Amino acid sequence: MIKIEPPRLRAATDVPGGRRKQRVSMADVARLAGVSSQTVSRVANGLPGVVETTREQVLAAMSELGYRPNSAARSLRYGRFNTIGVILFGLSSTGNSRTVEAIATHAAAEGYAITLIPVGVPTQDNVLGAFTRMGELAVDGVILIIEVHLLDAAAVTLPPGVHVVVVDSDAGDRYPVVDTDQADGARQAVRHLLGLGHRTVWHLAGPAESFSAERRASAWRHVLEEAGRPVPPLERGDWSADSGYRAGLRLAADPACTAVFAANDQMALGVLRALHERGRRVPADVSVVGFDDIADAGSYLPPLTTVHQDFAEVGRRCVDALLGQIHAGPSGPGTDLVPTRLVVRASTAPPGL
């Protein structure tokens, strides 16, 4: 008996004469592997029910022919695109950029890609426009990193029937929300400074429209009031080191200021510079605490005491919550808070140490 080997097919590449051969099909792979097209389909889609030796045989044929599954056709057939959309308002902030990085990393581990649409101005029209664009790009669900108080307004709603998870928002009564425990992080910072013996704590808050900034400022005020301490006037910045520097100059001019809680590490860096320029030693004269625990926080001078946010865990929970909706159906509203922890370094000490 003579065994006839199936013909060797070439992938769709240029050939002499400037012609292109026809794209390799699933039938070509099946013919070379000696299996049915249905078996090739199961292997291409990662489905069970294929003997391992047969799966390896099919994969070898795919490799030899240069076959690539048609993801668009597969998406139409199975109603899945294996893509997660991410809509956010700016990548410049530490929280947003690190959350997006974490989402992309965990999504990739689950076999999903991400499609990113930044929105410059957070308005209802822009949000709906971004969702429309996501629909055109064919995604399975959307993670919305919103930060500002947009979803709090009764007139602002997300399109119905869309799998969605919201990050950094006060919309847990309407949508699934994942966020860092902003309030508890601020409480840890303020209690740490009071525990060192400081009479009160000055606060440099983030922008007034920011949900996280409001949560941190509210917790700061509550801890001071609960402890019966005076509440100093609130300073406000825009998350940048420059705004922290300008606020720091004002704080440095007040001899009563011995402890500062900045709402993020970049503003804390600006405060450190201002205090240094005005001859106020840190921590001997003024203790400083930040928020975020960015990668460089331990390299500040002095190394910065700060509140650690677990952005990797926020990203993981966002992806898991969205995939849960995609596979099992819509989930109800509610807020999932990721714990924070205080990282004590050399920028804090008892007053007058």
Side-chain angles (χ1 to χ4, degrees):
M1 177 177 177
I2 299 174
K3 182 179 179 181
I4 300 176
E5 294 291 334
R8 287 180 170 270
L9 301 177
R10 298 179 61 184
T13 56
D14 291 326
V15 295
R19 295 176 291 108
R20 290 184 65 85
K21 293 187 72 66
Q22 186 176 1
R23 180 184 178 90
V24 177
S25 70
M26 189 175 292
D28 296 328
V29 176
R31 192 159 43 247
L32 179 58
V35 299
S36 68
S37 294
Q38 289 85 351
T39 298
V40 175
S41 176
R42 296 189 71 83
V43 172
N45 290 287
L47 299 175
V50 181
V51 176
E52 189 58 32
T53 54
T54 302
R55 186 183 301 276
E56 292 175 359
Q57 187 175 336
V58 171
L59 292 174
M62 287 180 177
S63 177
E64 182 171 341
L65 295 176
Y67 171 76
R68 291 185 178 181
N70 188 330
S71 59
R74 187 170 67 245
S75 296
L76 289 173
R77 180 178 179 183
Y78 293 101
R80 297 273 173 80
F81 303 96
N82 278 55
T83 302
I84 293 172
V86 179
I87 299 173
L88 80 163
F89 304 123
L91 271 168
S92 59
S93 73
T94 296
N96 284 0
S97 60
R98 290 180 65 181
T99 300
V100 169
E101 178 185 14
I103 289 170
T105 299
H106 191 62
E110 296 293 330
Y112 281 73
I114 70 165
T115 296
L116 181 66
I117 295 186
V119 176
V121 180
T123 65
Q124 167 77 344
D125 288 344
N126 286 346
V127 170
L128 292 180
F131 269 91
T132 299
R133 179 66 177 141
M134 282 295 182
E136 294 170 353
L137 293 172
V139 300
D140 297 306
V142 176
I143 296 174
L144 182 61
I145 305 176
I146 195 164
E147 188 178 291
V148 299
H149 287 276
L150 179 61
L151 294 182
D152 302 347
V156 178
T157 57
L158 302 182
V162 177
H163 299 307
V164 62
V165 172
V166 183
V167 184
D168 198 6
S169 172
D170 196 16
D173 59 335
R174 300 165 67 193
Y175 305 103
V177 172
V178 177
D179 191 21
T180 295
D181 194 339
Q182 311 286 348
D184 188 60
R187 286 192 291 267
Q188 292 179 59
V190 179
R191 287 169 180 165
H192 168 68
L193 291 167
L194 294 181
L196 290 172
H198 295 276
R199 178 170 174 265
T200 190
V201 178
W202 275 251
H203 182 45
L204 172 53
E209 66 273 13
S210 166
F211 164 77
S212 56
E214 181 186 281
R215 278 289 186 266
R216 296 170 199 180
S218 177
W220 158 77
R221 183 180 302 276
H222 179 74
V223 171
L224 292 182
E225 290 174 346
E226 188 178 53
R229 307 298 178 88
V231 180
L234 182 74
E235 293 284 347
R236 197 171 290 280
D238 60 9
W239 300 126
S240 70
D242 284 344
S243 69
Y245 173 72
R246 293 189 295 271
L249 292 176
R250 295 188 292 271
L251 294 170
D254 185 350
C257 177
T258 66
V260 178
F261 166 43
N264 77 336
D265 290 347
Q266 281 92 346
M267 292 194 298
L269 175 62
V271 170
L272 291 176
R273 176 191 166 195
L275 292 171
H276 173 75
E277 289 183 0
R278 292 297 185 265
R280 303 290 303 276
R281 298 167 300 164
V282 177
D285 299 322
V286 183
S287 288
V288 178
V289 176
F291 203 111
D292 284 340
D293 193 22
I294 63 174
D296 296 333
S299 298
Y300 283 14
L301 189 62
L304 183 67
T305 295
T306 184
V307 176
H308 177 81
Q309 293 201 76
D310 193 343
F311 295 107
E313 180 65 11
V314 171
R316 185 189 69 78
R317 293 193 190 186
C318 285
V319 173
D320 287 349
L322 192 62
L323 294 186
Q325 294 184 43
I326 292 169
H327 297 306
S331 60
T335 299
D336 181 13
L337 291 180
V338 177
T340 56
R341 60 182 173 86
L342 184 71
V343 180
V344 178
R345 298 192 179 100
S347 66
T348 54
L353 184 67

